[in-house]
PDB file of all heavy atoms in Angstrom:
ATOM      1  N   ASP Z 117     127.427  73.844 103.489  1.00 94.00           N
ATOM      2  CA  ASP Z 117     125.984  73.918 103.256  1.00 94.00           C
ATOM      3  C   ASP Z 117     125.579  75.258 102.642  1.00 94.00           C
ATOM      4  O   ASP Z 117     124.628  75.325 101.867  1.00 94.00           O
ATOM      5  CB  ASP Z 117     125.216  73.681 104.566  1.00 94.00           C
ATOM      6  CG  ASP Z 117     125.251  72.212 104.978  1.00 94.00           C
ATOM      7  OD1 ASP Z 117     125.557  71.369 104.102  1.00 94.00           O
ATOM      8  OD2 ASP Z 117     124.997  71.913 106.161  1.00 94.00           O
ATOM      9  N   ARG Z 118     126.323  76.311 102.992  1.00 94.00           N
ATOM     10  CA  ARG Z 118     126.026  77.622 102.378  1.00 94.00           C
ATOM     11  C   ARG Z 118     126.227  77.566 100.872  1.00 94.00           C
ATOM     12  O   ARG Z 118     125.420  78.065 100.095  1.00 94.00           O
ATOM     13  CB  ARG Z 118     126.938  78.711 102.963  1.00 94.00           C
ATOM     14  CG  ARG Z 118     126.418  79.295 104.249  1.00 94.00           C
ATOM     15  CD  ARG Z 118     126.875  80.732 104.447  1.00 94.00           C
ATOM     16  NE  ARG Z 118     128.311  80.955 104.436  1.00 94.00           N
ATOM     17  CZ  ARG Z 118     129.122  80.726 105.461  1.00 94.00           C
ATOM     18  NH1 ARG Z 118     128.649  80.254 106.593  1.00 94.00           N
ATOM     19  NH2 ARG Z 118     130.411  80.968 105.358  1.00 94.00           N
ATOM     20  N   MET Z 119     127.316  76.910 100.473  1.00 94.00           N
ATOM     21  CA  MET Z 119     127.596  76.754  99.038  1.00 94.00           C
ATOM     22  C   MET Z 119     126.467  75.957  98.384  1.00 94.00           C
ATOM     23  O   MET Z 119     125.993  76.281  97.306  1.00 94.00           O
ATOM     24  CB  MET Z 119     128.922  75.995  98.826  1.00 94.00           C
ATOM     25  CG  MET Z 119     130.145  76.780  99.214  1.00 94.00           C
ATOM     26  SD  MET Z 119     130.256  78.298  98.216  1.00 94.00           S
ATOM     27  CE  MET Z 119     130.014  79.519  99.452  1.00 94.00           C
ATOM     28  N   LYS Z 120     126.073  74.911  99.062  1.00 93.00           N
ATOM     29  CA  LYS Z 120     125.021  74.052  98.527  1.00 93.00           C
ATOM     30  C   LYS Z 120     123.724  74.838  98.333  1.00 93.00           C
ATOM     31  O   LYS Z 120     123.067  74.739  97.290  1.00 93.00           O
ATOM     32  CB  LYS Z 120     124.803  72.886  99.504  1.00 93.00           C
ATOM     33  CG  LYS Z 120     124.134  71.734  98.853  1.00 93.00           C
ATOM     34  CD  LYS Z 120     124.480  70.419  99.492  1.00 93.00           C
ATOM     35  CE  LYS Z 120     123.780  69.338  98.695  1.00 93.00           C
ATOM     36  NZ  LYS Z 120     123.665  68.090  99.422  1.00 93.00           N
ATOM     37  N   ILE Z 121     123.374  75.637  99.332  1.00 92.00           N
ATOM     38  CA  ILE Z 121     122.153  76.455  99.247  1.00 92.00           C
ATOM     39  C   ILE Z 121     122.271  77.447  98.093  1.00 92.00           C
ATOM     40  O   ILE Z 121     121.325  77.641  97.312  1.00 92.00           O
ATOM     41  CB  ILE Z 121     121.908  77.211 100.580  1.00 92.00           C
ATOM     42  CG1 ILE Z 121     121.551  76.243 101.696  1.00 92.00           C
ATOM     43  CG2 ILE Z 121     120.815  78.271 100.411  1.00 92.00           C
ATOM     44  CD1 ILE Z 121     120.144  75.678 101.647  1.00 92.00           C
ATOM     45  N   ALA Z 122     123.449  78.065  97.962  1.00 91.00           N
ATOM     46  CA  ALA Z 122     123.640  79.053  96.885  1.00 91.00           C
ATOM     47  C   ALA Z 122     123.381  78.390  95.527  1.00 91.00           C
ATOM     48  O   ALA Z 122     122.707  78.956  94.655  1.00 91.00           O
ATOM     49  CB  ALA Z 122     125.045  79.632  96.948  1.00 91.00           C
ATOM     50  N   LEU Z 123     123.883  77.176  95.364  1.00 92.00           N
ATOM     51  CA  LEU Z 123     123.656  76.451  94.101  1.00 92.00           C
ATOM     52  C   LEU Z 123     122.186  76.089  93.922  1.00 92.00           C
ATOM     53  O   LEU Z 123     121.621  76.226  92.838  1.00 92.00           O
ATOM     54  CB  LEU Z 123     124.502  75.168  94.072  1.00 92.00           C
ATOM     55  CG  LEU Z 123     125.999  75.379  93.876  1.00 92.00           C
ATOM     56  CD1 LEU Z 123     126.745  74.056  93.986  1.00 92.00           C
ATOM     57  CD2 LEU Z 123     126.262  76.040  92.517  1.00 92.00           C
ATOM     58  N   LEU Z 124     121.574  75.644  95.028  1.00 92.00           N
ATOM     59  CA  LEU Z 124     120.162  75.247  94.950  1.00 92.00           C
ATOM     60  C   LEU Z 124     119.272  76.434  94.589  1.00 92.00           C
ATOM     61  O   LEU Z 124     118.300  76.287  93.850  1.00 92.00           O
ATOM     62  CB  LEU Z 124     119.698  74.667  96.293  1.00 92.00           C
ATOM     63  CG  LEU Z 124     120.088  73.214  96.572  1.00 92.00           C
ATOM     64  CD1 LEU Z 124     119.759  72.854  98.014  1.00 92.00           C
ATOM     65  CD2 LEU Z 124     119.363  72.274  95.610  1.00 92.00           C
ATOM     66  N   ILE Z 125     119.623  77.613  95.122  1.00 87.00           N
ATOM     67  CA  ILE Z 125     118.804  78.800  94.845  1.00 87.00           C
ATOM     68  C   ILE Z 125     118.783  79.053  93.335  1.00 87.00           C
ATOM     69  O   ILE Z 125     117.751  79.414  92.762  1.00 87.00           O
ATOM     70  CB  ILE Z 125     119.323  80.021  95.644  1.00 87.00           C
ATOM     71  CG1 ILE Z 125     118.970  79.847  97.128  1.00 87.00           C
ATOM     72  CG2 ILE Z 125     118.729  81.333  95.108  1.00 87.00           C
ATOM     73  CD1 ILE Z 125     119.507  80.918  98.054  1.00 87.00           C
ATOM     74  N   VAL Z 126     119.915  78.821  92.685  1.00 88.00           N
ATOM     75  CA  VAL Z 126     119.966  79.011  91.236  1.00 88.00           C
ATOM     76  C   VAL Z 126     119.255  77.866  90.509  1.00 88.00           C
ATOM     77  O   VAL Z 126     118.365  78.091  89.682  1.00 88.00           O
ATOM     78  CB  VAL Z 126     121.437  79.112  90.760  1.00 88.00           C
ATOM     79  CG1 VAL Z 126     121.486  79.261  89.247  1.00 88.00           C
ATOM     80  CG2 VAL Z 126     122.130  80.282  91.446  1.00 88.00           C
ATOM     81  N   SER Z 127     119.626  76.630  90.852  1.00 91.00           N
ATOM     82  CA  SER Z 127     119.121  75.494  90.060  1.00 91.00           C
ATOM     83  C   SER Z 127     117.620  75.273  90.230  1.00 91.00           C
ATOM     84  O   SER Z 127     116.925  74.902  89.276  1.00 91.00           O
ATOM     85  CB  SER Z 127     119.884  74.215  90.420  1.00 91.00           C
ATOM     86  OG  SER Z 127     119.609  73.862  91.767  1.00 91.00           O
ATOM     87  N   THR Z 128     117.091  75.535  91.440  1.00 90.00           N
ATOM     88  CA  THR Z 128     115.664  75.249  91.648  1.00 90.00           C
ATOM     89  C   THR Z 128     114.763  76.274  90.963  1.00 90.00           C
ATOM     90  O   THR Z 128     113.580  76.027  90.789  1.00 90.00           O
ATOM     91  CB  THR Z 128     115.294  75.229  93.150  1.00 90.00           C
ATOM     92  OG1 THR Z 128     115.737  76.447  93.752  1.00 90.00           O
ATOM     93  CG2 THR Z 128     115.915  74.046  93.843  1.00 90.00           C
ATOM     94  N   ARG Z 129     115.316  77.422  90.576  1.00 85.00           N
ATOM     95  CA  ARG Z 129     114.445  78.387  89.879  1.00 85.00           C
ATOM     96  C   ARG Z 129     114.072  77.856  88.507  1.00 85.00           C
ATOM     97  O   ARG Z 129     112.999  78.151  87.996  1.00 85.00           O
ATOM     98  CB  ARG Z 129     115.124  79.757  89.753  1.00 85.00           C
ATOM     99  CG  ARG Z 129     114.954  80.581  91.003  1.00 85.00           C
ATOM    100  CD  ARG Z 129     114.965  82.063  90.723  1.00 85.00           C
ATOM    101  NE  ARG Z 129     113.713  82.564  90.197  1.00 85.00           N
ATOM    102  CZ  ARG Z 129     113.518  83.825  89.845  1.00 85.00           C
ATOM    103  NH1 ARG Z 129     114.497  84.693  89.948  1.00 85.00           N
ATOM    104  NH2 ARG Z 129     112.359  84.215  89.374  1.00 85.00           N
ATOM    105  N   LYS Z 130     114.995  77.096  87.898  1.00 84.00           N
ATOM    106  CA  LYS Z 130     114.680  76.490  86.593  1.00 84.00           C
ATOM    107  C   LYS Z 130     113.876  75.216  86.771  1.00 84.00           C
ATOM    108  O   LYS Z 130     112.872  75.003  86.117  1.00 84.00           O
ATOM    109  CB  LYS Z 130     115.975  76.174  85.847  1.00 84.00           C
ATOM    110  CG  LYS Z 130     116.587  77.402  85.196  1.00 84.00           C
ATOM    111  CD  LYS Z 130     117.387  77.015  83.939  1.00 84.00           C
ATOM    112  CE  LYS Z 130     118.302  78.158  83.512  1.00 84.00           C
ATOM    113  NZ  LYS Z 130     119.555  78.195  84.299  1.00 84.00           N
ATOM    114  N   ASN Z 131     114.353  74.363  87.667  1.00 88.00           N
ATOM    115  CA  ASN Z 131     113.673  73.080  87.877  1.00 88.00           C
ATOM    116  C   ASN Z 131     113.153  72.985  89.296  1.00 88.00           C
ATOM    117  O   ASN Z 131     113.885  72.658  90.207  1.00 88.00           O
ATOM    118  CB  ASN Z 131     114.661  71.924  87.634  1.00 88.00           C
ATOM    119  CG  ASN Z 131     115.187  71.947  86.229  1.00 88.00           C
ATOM    120  OD1 ASN Z 131     114.418  71.965  85.276  1.00 88.00           O
ATOM    121  ND2 ASN Z 131     116.510  71.989  86.091  1.00 88.00           N
ATOM    122  N   HIS Z 132     111.866  73.291  89.445  1.00 89.00           N
ATOM    123  CA  HIS Z 132     111.278  73.197  90.786  1.00 89.00           C
ATOM    124  C   HIS Z 132     111.252  71.745  91.232  1.00 89.00           C
ATOM    125  O   HIS Z 132     110.843  70.874  90.471  1.00 89.00           O
ATOM    126  CB  HIS Z 132     109.851  73.733  90.774  1.00 89.00           C
ATOM    127  CG  HIS Z 132     109.775  75.224  90.644  1.00 89.00           C
ATOM    128  ND1 HIS Z 132     108.592  75.911  90.715  1.00 89.00           N
ATOM    129  CD2 HIS Z 132     110.734  76.139  90.448  1.00 89.00           C
ATOM    130  CE1 HIS Z 132     108.841  77.209  90.580  1.00 89.00           C
ATOM    131  NE2 HIS Z 132     110.130  77.363  90.397  1.00 89.00           N
ATOM    132  N   PRO Z 133     111.689  71.493  92.475  1.00 93.00           N
ATOM    133  CA  PRO Z 133     111.572  70.122  92.969  1.00 93.00           C
ATOM    134  C   PRO Z 133     110.085  69.755  93.133  1.00 93.00           C
ATOM    135  O   PRO Z 133     109.241  70.635  93.255  1.00 93.00           O
ATOM    136  CB  PRO Z 133     112.272  70.162  94.317  1.00 93.00           C
ATOM    137  CG  PRO Z 133     112.340  71.590  94.704  1.00 93.00           C
ATOM    138  CD  PRO Z 133     112.280  72.404  93.456  1.00 93.00           C
ATOM    139  N   ALA Z 134     109.802  68.474  93.120  1.00 92.00           N
ATOM    140  CA  ALA Z 134     108.403  68.034  93.215  1.00 92.00           C
ATOM    141  C   ALA Z 134     108.348  66.652  93.833  1.00 92.00           C
ATOM    142  O   ALA Z 134     109.354  65.954  93.934  1.00 92.00           O
ATOM    143  CB  ALA Z 134     107.764  68.005  91.826  1.00 92.00           C
ATOM    144  N   GLY Z 135     107.150  66.287  94.265  1.00 93.00           N
ATOM    145  CA  GLY Z 135     106.906  64.904  94.664  1.00 93.00           C
ATOM    146  C   GLY Z 135     107.189  64.569  96.114  1.00 93.00           C
ATOM    147  O   GLY Z 135     107.169  63.403  96.490  1.00 93.00           O
ATOM    148  N   SER Z 136     107.461  65.588  96.963  1.00 95.00           N
ATOM    149  CA  SER Z 136     107.608  65.268  98.385  1.00 95.00           C
ATOM    150  C   SER Z 136     107.123  66.460  99.198  1.00 95.00           C
ATOM    151  O   SER Z 136     106.692  67.462  98.646  1.00 95.00           O
ATOM    152  CB  SER Z 136     109.068  64.957  98.729  1.00 95.00           C
ATOM    153  OG  SER Z 136     109.851  66.126  98.602  1.00 95.00           O
ATOM    154  N   THR Z 137     107.222  66.346 100.516  1.00 96.00           N
ATOM    155  CA  THR Z 137     106.889  67.514 101.334  1.00 96.00           C
ATOM    156  C   THR Z 137     108.116  68.411 101.397  1.00 96.00           C
ATOM    157  O   THR Z 137     109.239  67.984 101.090  1.00 96.00           O
ATOM    158  CB  THR Z 137     106.505  67.111 102.770  1.00 96.00           C
ATOM    159  OG1 THR Z 137     107.679  66.610 103.417  1.00 96.00           O
ATOM    160  CG2 THR Z 137     105.408  66.066 102.774  1.00 96.00           C
ATOM    161  N   LEU Z 138     107.895  69.661 101.825  1.00 96.00           N
ATOM    162  CA  LEU Z 138     109.026  70.582 101.942  1.00 96.00           C
ATOM    163  C   LEU Z 138     110.079  70.011 102.887  1.00 96.00           C
ATOM    164  O   LEU Z 138     111.266  70.007 102.602  1.00 96.00           O
ATOM    165  CB  LEU Z 138     108.542  71.949 102.466  1.00 96.00           C
ATOM    166  CG  LEU Z 138     109.656  72.952 102.782  1.00 96.00           C
ATOM    167  CD1 LEU Z 138     110.455  73.300 101.532  1.00 96.00           C
ATOM    168  CD2 LEU Z 138     109.083  74.215 103.422  1.00 96.00           C
TER     169      LEU Z 138
END
Side-chain angles (χ1 to χ4, degrees):
Chain Z
D117 286 342
R118 275 208 303 280
M119 290 299 114
K120 200 152 182 199
I121 292 285
L123 287 175
L124 280 171
I125 287 176
V126 178
S127 65
T128 53
R129 277 208 79 182
K130 281 209 196 81
N131 299 306
H132 288 185
S136 68
T137 68
L138 173 62

